[in-house]
Amino acid sequence: DNYTVNFNCAADVKGFSIEPLLLVPFVENAFKHISHHNNQHNFIQVNLSMKNGTFHFNSKNSKATEEEKEVTAKHTGIGLNNVKRRLELLYPGKHQLTILNENDTFNVDLAIKI
């Protein structure tokens, strides 16, 4: 009851392609690191849109508490580093990636010039 997953894809996100599976690590991490609060709302939001020839991806999730982080810390990987490197190789000068690791949320914003 305390979990919500929202996925929004704008109607104009069509007619182009990006590197296969490029966004998977971001979505996977949102599910892997979502909070598990009993007394608060736990959420994941994923939004896709296209504006002025630029594809926009946003993923935001509530974060785990310090105690919960200890459980997932054992399972850290290299997913974000790999996707950053892939973006540099595949979209040099054509992308902007912003990752905000805030107190209660983890937010990823990616823009790719198509």
Side-chain angles (χ1 to χ4, degrees):
D1 290 343
N2 288 347
Y3 293 86
T4 302
V5 176
N6 289 317
F7 176 77
N8 299 304
C9 183
D12 56 357
V13 179
K14 61 182 176 183
F16 66 94
S17 62
I18 62 171
E19 183 68 19
L21 306 175
L22 183 66
L23 306 176
V24 170
F26 300 127
V27 176
E28 181 180 48
N29 280 352
F31 280 91
K32 180 178 176 182
H33 298 290
I34 189 173
S35 59
H36 300 289
H37 305 303
N38 291 324
N39 57 351
Q40 296 179 40
H41 187 68
N42 306 286
F43 68 90
I44 296 172
Q45 299 170 347
V46 176
N47 298 296
L48 309 174
S49 63
M50 185 73 146
K51 186 175 182 181
N52 299 326
T54 300
F55 169 70
H56 295 272
F57 168 86
N58 174 265
S59 172
K60 185 174 185 177
N61 63 280
S62 55
K63 267 182 26 181
T65 63
E66 290 300 318
E67 298 80 30
E68 293 167 339
K69 284 181 191 176
E70 292 177 16
V71 173
T72 59
K74 298 181 254 183
H75 305 289
T76 59
I78 56 172
L80 289 181
N81 289 334
N82 280 345
V83 76
K84 287 177 186 178
R85 183 69 178 136
R86 287 178 71 200
L87 285 165
E88 290 295 327
L89 292 170
L90 298 167
Y91 302 100
K94 295 183 179 182
H95 77 282
Q96 182 176 355
L97 176 64
T98 305
I99 299 175
L100 298 174
N101 190 357
E102 299 175 325
N103 288 337
D104 297 335
T105 60
F106 191 83
N107 191 19
V108 175
D109 278 304
L110 173 63
I112 301 174
K113 183 76 173 162
I114 302 297

